[in-house]
Amino acid sequence: MAKKILCFIVYFISLSISAYCQKNEHLALTPPMGWNSWNTFSSEINEQLIKDMADKLVASGMKNAGYEYIVIDDCWLSHERDSIGNLQADPIKFPYGMKAVGDYIHSKGLKFGMYNCAGTMTCAGYPGTYGHEYQDALSYAKWGVDYLKYDWCYTDGINAKEAYTTMSKALTATGRPIVFSICEWGTSMPWKWAAPVGHLWRTTGDISCSWVEKKMSENWIPLGITKIIDIEANLREYAGPGHWNDPDMLEVGNGLSYNEDKAHFTMWAMLAAPLIAGNDLRKMSKQTLDILTNSNVIAIDQDSLGIQALRYMVKDSVEIWVKPLVGGNWAFCFFNRSEKKQKINFDFASHIINDTLSHRILNTNILKYKIYDLWERKKMGYTNKMLKYDIPSHNVLLLRLSPNKFTE
Ligand code: GLA
C-alpha cells in the first residue's frame, strides 16, 4: 500500500513539474552549432540537397568540429494542411516525407532541425502554426525533430510572449527533447522574457552577407555584420547556458572577404552566439572550411561558462572585447572595423578590467598571463610586455590569455 501511495506521489509531482515547465532545461548548454538552408538556398531546397549537406557536414570534418544540427528552414511545406489539419511536406521537394529526411540525418550521427512560424503563414507564405501548436509539435516529435526554429511573420494581433510560450509548452508536452529557437527578430525584446521559454532568440532582423547594411529593395534593408554586433553589445547580461542571444546565422563563405569572414566568425564566438553555418558545404573553399573549423575559436564560443563578451573599449575604430573563460582564462579580441590598417600598442598593465557581470577582474599587475594567438596558432609572450601589432582592415587579433602558473 505504502509503495502505491509513494508511486502516486511521484507521478503527481512529475505531472505538476511537466505542466509547470515550459522548456526542456537540459538542452543547448553551450551555443547550438549546425547548418541551416536559408542563407544560401532560400526556397530552393529538396531531399537530395539536405542529404548532401548532411554528408558534407560529416565528410568535411565540421561534425567533428562540433556542428551537429541540419536545419531545414522555410519552404519545405506543402501549401495545404492534410484533411485532418496536419502539416505535410511538399511532395515534389520531399517525396518520402520529413521522417525519412530526419532518419537520414540521424543515420549520420547528426540532429534534425525544422522551421515554422507563430503566425498564420510562414514568411514565404506556407501554412503557419497559429492555432495548431500542439498538433504540429506532435508531428515534429513523430518525425524525430530535435530543433525547431519558430519565426514571426503574419502575426498581427498576436502577443509574442504568449505565442512562443504556447509552442514551448507544446514541444515539452511531446516528451521529445527539442531545442526551441525563437526567431522574433528582437521586436518584443525576447531577451527579457524568453529564457524560460526557448533556448535561443534572435536579437535582430535578418543578417545579410555584408559588412554594413545594404539596401536590397524599397522595403528591405537586411543588417550588416557590424550593425548586428552593435545591437548584441548591449545584451550580454541576458545570455547564458541554455538561453542564448542569437545574432542570426553565419554568412562565412558566402561572399565576404577572407578577413571579414574571420572577423565575423570570431565575433560570433566572442558573443557566445549559436554557430549555424549558412554556406553551400559542397562548394566551400579550404579557407572557408579552415575558418568554420578553427578549434581554438570554436572553444571560445563553446566555453562552458557561457559568458558573452564585454566591449571593453573603442579607440581609432579598434574595439577591444574581452570574454571570461573557464580556468581563469580570458579571450581578448582586438577588432578593427575601419577601412585601414591600425597599429596596436597595448599595455596590459595599465588596464584593470573589472567585469561586474561575471565578477571577474583581469589585472595583469597581480597575475601574469601567457598570450596565445588563436588564428596564427602561436605563442606571443606574456602580458608584462607592451603588445605591438598591426591589424589589417576588417580583421581581428584574437588572443587567449592564460594565467601563468610559473614564475621565470
Ligand atoms: C525570416 C527569418 C529568416 C528566414 C526567413 C524564411 O525572415 O528571419 O531567418 O527564416 O524568414 O522565410
Side-chain angles (χ1 to χ4, degrees), residues 239-258:
H243 51 97
W244 308 101
N245 289 319
D246 174 8
D248 208 354
M249 301 167 298
L250 294 165
E251 291 285 8
V252 173
N254 285 345
L256 296 167
S257 72
Y258 174 62

Side-chain angles (χ1 to χ4, degrees), residues 52-64 108 289:
D52 287 351
M53 291 304 149
D55 292 347
K56 279 287 169 200
L57 204 75
V58 177
S60 63
M62 284 178 70
K63 173 174 181 270
N64 282 344
K108 297 268 141 185
L289 180 63

Side-chain angles (χ1 to χ4, degrees), residues 38 73-74 115 123-124 149 151 153 183 185 202 206 248-249:
W38 183 253
D73 208 283
D74 206 347
Y115 164 101
C123 296
K149 171 176 170 182
D151 214 338
C153 281
C183 178
W185 321 316
R202 279 273 295 279
D206 289 6
D248 208 354
M249 301 167 298

